[in-house]
Amino acid sequence: MEAGSKQAAAPLPPTPAQASRRRLMIRDGLKFLTLTLVAVVLSGVTTFLFRSFESRRERLAERWAQRGHDAMQRGQSEQAVAALRVSLSYHPDDYENQLALAEALAAGGHVDEAENYYLNLWQSRPGDGPINLQLARLERTRGRDQQAIDYYRAAVFGTWAGDAPARRRDTRLELSRYLVDRGQPLAAQAELLIAAGNNPDPATQLRIAEALEAAGDTSSALTAYRRAEVGSQLHTAQARAGELCFRAGDYTCAEDSLEKALRSKTWTAEQITRLNGMHDDAARLQELAFSPVVPPALRSAHLLSDSVIALNRFKTCTDPSLMPLQTRWKALNTPQNRAALRHDDDVQLQYANLIFETEITAAKTCGTPIGDDALLLHLQDHPMTRIGAQQG
């Protein structure tokens, strides 16, 4: 009986309706699977095509950008503008190329468009060093002094890619030159002293020293030249220091610095001639100088020897305009006055004034002097000083 009942419980075959529904489900499943596979394939193809298109856009953007940068290096600003515009049409958000386009516009004289471009960039990056620097330069071209200075200062304290300390120093140097040009030497000196205090390399110290000299800070300039006397910059810095001392009237410093500089074997024949001439002049000027920094005993001796040089000028210059000076020399150059030179400041001043008057008048009437006569004229504008003594 149990076997018979189990046989009776076997599943019944599906009805036609059930079989139809099952076939429908299988067919729909196959359709869904097919559509899914098609969608995956299409998605893959679309992704491939999109990436291929984007890759091509990137290549085109890079290619046109390179053309633009190359054109800028050749000084072809208009070609650079055109190429960079095409590059940005493929990659509009490339900051470096946006900056390069603005620079090319400025170089091509499109000042208004360049300024607008920079200002748009500035809106999103107000602390960007390069943008502020370029805006400072544009304001300079427009003659807007204070705006230019403000942008320069923002650039100094802005953010820079790469060697930020060096870029900030370069910006300070450019600002200092601008301040000198605008008649603000003290403000320029302040910027340069900050730059010099940040321990720049010797080559940069040289540039700072030159800028300090242009700003009128002779003492700080000489200090910067001394700091630059290192390695490959040694003899160049010594020569520049010597020239600075010579122009400033510190002939002891000039002679010493130029003597050291001339030990270099790298100077050209023309440079050696010039440096040697300045060195010899510095040595001779120490023997002629009679400014207050010269000890009194030497000063009186120098005035006596210089008076002989001035009196000998009459032998080579016999113009009638010198006759009144000859009369004055006869009245001044007496044994009593020569003896009084050691202790009488008034007599020293009379000799000094007459020496200079003689050389100036002779130069006007008889042409450019040479030798000691030329050096005496030099002393009038460059009396002997002692700036070198302030340098430790």
Side-chain angles (χ1 to χ4, degrees):
M1 288 295 293
E2 290 183 4
S5 63
K6 288 181 179 179
Q7 290 176 359
L12 297 174
T15 63
Q18 290 175 330
S20 176
R21 189 163 52 252
R22 183 178 299 172
R23 287 193 300 271
L24 183 61
M25 291 177 64
I26 292 172
R27 186 172 66 250
D28 288 346
L30 289 173
K31 287 181 179 180
F32 177 78
L33 180 59
T34 301
L35 290 173
T36 300
L37 290 174
V38 170
V40 169
V41 171
L42 289 175
S43 175
V45 171
T46 302
T47 300
F48 172 77
L49 291 175
F50 177 78
R51 289 179 177 175
S52 176
F53 175 71
E54 284 298 306
S55 178
R56 177 171 173 75
R57 284 171 61 92
E58 289 290 335
R59 289 196 303 272
L60 287 170
E62 291 176 4
R63 186 180 306 166
W64 282 102
Q66 189 60 51
R67 290 179 183 177
H69 292 298
D70 290 344
M72 279 295 289
Q73 289 182 349
R74 294 191 301 269
Q76 300 170 331
S77 56
E78 294 300 330
Q79 290 89 329
V81 168
L84 288 165
R85 286 192 194 280
V86 175
S87 175
L88 287 169
S89 71
Y90 290 114
H91 195 176
D93 298 326
D94 190 305
Y95 167 73
E96 294 299 330
N97 288 333
Q98 289 176 339
L99 200 60
L101 174 57
E103 183 180 352
L105 287 167
H110 306 286
V111 178
D112 291 335
E113 191 175 359
E115 185 173 32
N116 289 333
Y117 219 101
Y118 278 124
L119 286 173
N120 287 334
L121 293 171
W122 185 88
Q123 291 294 331
S124 60
R125 302 189 183 196
D128 186 275
I131 293 175
N132 280 287
L133 176 59
Q134 295 299 335
L135 282 169
R137 291 170 175 170
L138 285 174
E139 295 297 342
R140 286 181 62 169
T141 65
R142 294 179 178 276
R144 300 171 182 169
D145 294 349
Q146 191 54 54
Q147 292 91 327
I149 292 170
D150 290 342
Y151 277 124
Y152 269 125
R153 296 193 190 283
V156 167
F157 295 103
T159 56
W160 294 85
D163 191 351
R167 300 295 298 277
R168 292 191 179 100
R169 277 197 302 269
D170 290 343
T171 303
R172 282 192 190 276
L173 282 168
E174 186 172 327
L175 170 58
S176 73
R177 289 191 291 270
Y178 181 61
L179 290 169
V180 170
D181 292 341
R182 306 316 299 168
Q184 301 182 46
L186 294 180
Q189 291 172 20
E191 296 292 339
L192 291 166
L193 290 175
I194 294 172
N198 290 331
N199 298 317
D201 58 275
T204 304
Q205 280 284 13
L206 275 177
R207 294 169 57 206
I208 292 173
E210 292 167 354
L212 281 165
E213 188 176 353
D217 190 346
T218 303
S219 179
S220 297
L222 184 56
T223 298
Y225 280 129
R226 297 300 187 215
R227 289 176 179 170
E229 293 177 0
V230 179
S232 61
Q233 303 297 329
L234 173 63
H235 296 297
T236 300
Q238 288 170 337
R240 301 277 178 81
E243 294 174 26
L244 167 64
C245 289
F246 188 88
R247 287 189 292 269
D250 190 341
Y251 305 115
T252 304
C253 163
E255 181 186 14
D256 179 66
S257 297
L258 292 168
E259 184 175 332
K260 292 175 181 176
L262 283 164
R263 295 171 188 167
S264 171
K265 306 299 182 184
T266 60
W267 302 115
T268 65
E270 182 180 355
Q271 289 171 327
I272 291 173
T273 299
R274 185 175 64 84
L275 293 175
N276 262 323
M278 194 179 299
H279 171 271
D280 294 344
D281 285 347
R284 180 57 177 155
L285 283 163
Q286 293 175 69
E287 299 172 351
L288 300 175
F290 46 80
S291 67
V293 301
V294 180
L298 278 179
R299 186 160 62 246
S300 61
H302 291 182
L303 283 166
L304 282 174
S305 63
D306 293 348
S307 66
V308 174
I309 296 169
L311 285 166
N312 284 335
R313 187 76 161 112
F314 293 122
K315 296 178 180 179
T316 58
C317 183
T318 57
D319 190 274
S321 63
L322 295 178
M323 292 303 296
L325 290 174
Q326 287 181 302
T327 302
R328 289 171 59 189
W329 270 113
K330 288 178 181 179
L332 177 64
N333 196 32
T334 64
Q336 293 84 357
N337 284 337
R338 288 197 295 271
L341 268 174
R342 284 182 174 272
H343 53 79
D344 193 323
D345 291 342
D346 183 60
V347 173
Q348 289 183 0
L349 182 60
Q350 291 180 56
Y351 267 87
N353 288 338
L354 196 49
I355 288 168
F356 286 142
E357 283 186 57
T358 301
E359 294 295 347
I360 292 170
T361 305
K364 290 178 179 178
T365 57
C366 297
T368 304
I370 59 173
D372 286 344
D373 294 300
L375 293 178
L376 286 175
L377 272 181
H378 176 88
L379 278 175
Q380 186 198 23
D381 297 323
H382 307 85
M384 191 169 182
T385 65
R386 280 286 183 268
I387 64 164
Q390 303 170 14
Q391 309 303 315

